[in-house]
Amino acid sequence: MSRTGTKLDAKKVNSELFTLTYGALVAQLIKDYENVEDANKQLERMGYNIGIRLIEDFLARTGSGRCYDFRDTAEKIQSGFKIFLGITPSITNWSPAGDEFSLCFETNPLTEFVELPDNCSNLKYCNILTGVLRGACEMVQMEIACWFVQDQLKNDNITELRVKFVKRLEDAIPAGED
Amino acid sequence: MVIYGVYIVSKSGGLIFNHDHNVPKIEVEKSFNFPLDIKLNYENKKVVVVFGQRDGINVGHVLTAVNGVAVAGRELEDGRDALEMLEQSENFPITLKFSRAKMTTNEKIFLASMFYPLFAIASQLSPEPRSSGIEVLEADTFRLYCFQTLTGIKFMIVAEPSQPGMEILLKRVYDLYADYALKNPFYALEMPIRCELFETNLQTLLETVEKSGISNV
């Protein structure tokens, strides 16, 4: 996923290849852990490790500045989904305090060909996304919590991802940061 | 148009990457008669010229060879002491080779960690609240450009004072870091960057900038 201007040029990958690769990963995890809960946890951890690296790509590419408001953050997360997954989830259901919002996905490239079998009813198929968001925000000194409240795979109309601001990691903010 | 080097310092202040780019090599070899008319001293594990500047041998240059035999510290490769040799008239005439002092990796690590608090102090010293740290540091022979990302990594470029477009180049280096270091599954965060792809792409970038300017990258 290199950007324009470099020799590699903006390489677009067919999203089906990505969908299938992710499917293979999830299937393998369930086989390895033999327990859906553990697979959920593992997906979140993998996502976290992706997030702490992916944030640099996002920043280098967009040149965005620091967020001083959670609404800024929401918009940046939205644009991140556009850049990396080619989808634009809608931002809804703000809490009155402005510290919690939902990302609603009408379509989700991760789940395009997926039907959950009965023994996986507890599986959070897209749980990698919660990890990615947590890892990426942590690197810009923001602690968030993130979970799925609705899932199209579980016969909901949309997939809804809830994001909650926990705190600013004040002591991790680099010196001389405006 | 010269870029001298690129440095990357991690969030915690450690040097994780350095690349010497285009440092002109200065080496002078000259034969001397007794008594030696330049003053040499042993400091920082090197034999250094402290007085008597001439023929391209400048104060601060380091003795690298005696009669073609390399000098390490104050000893020749064969174990003889260089300074003692220079005091004995029977060793003359003698050929000495001097060059500009080269920074060792340890010294670079040391200097990188010195810059870290300097950067932090600059933002504290500022009369305006919430100032950034040092972004450009200028001397008569070079300019140091520093760019700190939101995640706290510092990218630094040392270049000729007249070299334009270094702020943009820093962002390009950040691009390369995001691509070739972070997407390398075998690169562990905060550890020194030993990624060949990163190095070669950086090298190409620097050469293009030097040859045809920043607008072409």
Side-chain angles (χ1 to χ4, degrees):
Chain A
M1 290 207 210
S2 205
R3 61 205 85 347
T4 50
T6 63
K7 251 193 293 178
L8 285 158
D9 255 328
K11 247 192 248 157
K12 300 270 186 224
V13 195
N14 187 340
S15 77
E16 289 183 11
L17 175 65
F18 176 64
T19 307
L20 294 174
T21 314
Y22 184 67
L25 173 75
V26 178
Q28 187 65 45
L29 279 179
I30 292 171
K31 205 186 267 173
D32 287 352
Y33 285 94
E34 295 165 354
N35 178 341
V36 171
E37 288 305 320
D38 288 344
N40 286 341
K41 240 182 255 162
Q42 195 58 28
L43 280 172
E44 208 271 352
R45 263 188 57 194
M46 288 170 139
Y48 174 82
N49 287 322
I50 294 173
I52 57 176
R53 290 169 181 245
L54 202 60
I55 182 70
E56 304 282 5
D57 192 34
F58 177 79
L59 293 174
R61 209 182 275 219
T62 59
S64 40
R66 186 169 293 286
C67 299
Y68 292 106
D69 181 51
F70 206 43
R71 284 167 205 276
D72 284 351
T73 314
E75 276 166 31
K76 293 207 166 122
I77 290 175
Q78 192 185 32
S79 74
F81 274 103
K82 177 80 198 138
I83 292 173
F84 295 115
L85 290 180
I87 49 172
T88 311
S90 52
I91 303 168
T92 54
N93 296 342
W94 277 98
S95 66
D99 64 344
E100 237 181 271
F101 66 90
S102 289
L103 290 164
C104 293
F105 303 83
E106 307 258 313
T107 55
N108 182 349
L110 290 181
T111 58
E112 215 166 310
F113 311 114
V114 181
E115 295 168 45
L116 285 190
D118 294 339
N119 60 345
C120 288
S121 58
N122 284 329
L123 176 69
K124 295 167 186 155
Y125 186 81
C126 299
N127 216 26
I128 200 157
L129 295 180
T130 62
V132 171
L133 290 188
R134 185 171 70 89
C137 288
E138 190 185 297
M139 289 304 274
V140 286
Q141 301 89 38
M142 211 182 327
E143 191 177 321
I144 60 160
C146 187
W147 64 94
F148 282 99
V149 284
Q150 293 190 68
D151 194 338
Q152 279 163 326
L153 292 179
K154 292 167 188 163
N155 297 323
D156 293 316
N157 276 332
I158 48 162
T159 300
E160 181 181 349
L161 183 59
R162 195 84 181 140
V163 183
K164 182 180 164 55
F165 175 84
V166 179
K167 63 174 187 220
R168 285 256 281 171
L169 300 162
E170 294 292 344
D171 45 346
I173 295 176
E177 188 44 70
D178 53 6
Chain B
M1 303 288 255
V2 181
I3 297 165
Y4 296 124
V6 176
Y7 301 84
I8 304 177
V9 175
S10 76
K11 188 162 55 182
S12 44
L15 183 68
I16 53 172
F17 180 81
N18 79 81
H19 174 83
D20 290 329
H21 188 56
N22 218 340
V23 187
K25 203 174 167 189
I26 293 180
E27 268 191 349
V28 185
E29 196 157 19
K30 192 176 178 313
S31 96
F32 290 87
N33 288 316
F34 192 78
L36 201 60
D37 52 355
I38 54 177
K39 179 92 184 88
L40 298 178
N41 233 350
Y42 180 67
E43 46 192 53
N44 289 334
K45 296 180 180 165
K46 287 171 196 145
V47 180
V48 184
V49 181
V50 289
F51 202 64
Q53 179 165 306
R54 62 192 181 85
D55 300 331
I57 300 167
N58 292 356
V59 169
H61 281 183
V62 172
L63 180 69
T64 56
V66 176
N67 289 335
V69 183
V71 176
R74 59 185 291 165
E75 280 189 353
L76 267 64
E77 262 180 346
D78 50 21
R80 285 177 296 173
D81 184 295
L83 285 179
E84 273 170 27
M85 263 182 89
L86 295 173
E87 277 161 15
Q88 292 153 2
S89 60
E90 67 268 23
N91 291 327
F92 284 79
I94 197 165
T95 315
L96 302 180
K97 189 171 181 182
F98 294 91
S99 82
R100 201 156 62 175
K102 257 202 208 131
M103 252 197 286
T104 63
T105 310
N106 267 341
E107 284 166 329
K108 282 177 189 160
I109 293 172
F110 177 70
L111 288 177
S113 52
M114 291 283 277
F115 184 77
Y116 184 81
L118 216 57
F119 183 94
I121 287 169
S123 74
Q124 302 269 307
L125 271 179
S126 156
E128 289 288 328
R130 300 155 70 89
S131 164
S132 75
I134 296 172
E135 288 180 344
V136 184
L137 190 143
E138 187 166 348
D140 58 351
T141 54
F142 74 94
R143 243 186 230 166
L144 184 149
Y145 297 82
C146 177
F147 165 61
Q148 178 168 261
T149 69
L150 293 184
T151 53
I153 297 160
K154 288 183 193 64
F155 291 85
M156 288 187 265
I157 290 178
V158 179
E160 245 184 357
S162 60
Q163 179 87 34
M166 290 298 105
E167 285 88 357
I168 306 166
L169 180 61
L170 280 169
K171 306 238 156 62
R172 310 293 313 167
V173 178
Y174 186 26
D175 280 348
L176 291 182
Y177 168 76
D179 274 349
Y180 295 105
L182 292 182
K183 287 177 190 167
N184 179 347
F186 300 105
Y187 171 68
L189 288 185
E190 296 269 303
M191 293 308 280
I193 301 170
R194 295 186 216 288
C195 307
E196 212 167 297
L197 275 174
F198 176 68
E199 189 116 0
T200 48
N201 278 284
L202 180 69
Q203 179 83 30
T204 323
L205 175 67
L206 294 180
E207 274 162 17
T208 326
V209 171
E210 281 187 330
K211 253 185 240 144
S212 50
I214 192 75
S215 50
N216 290 311
V217 292

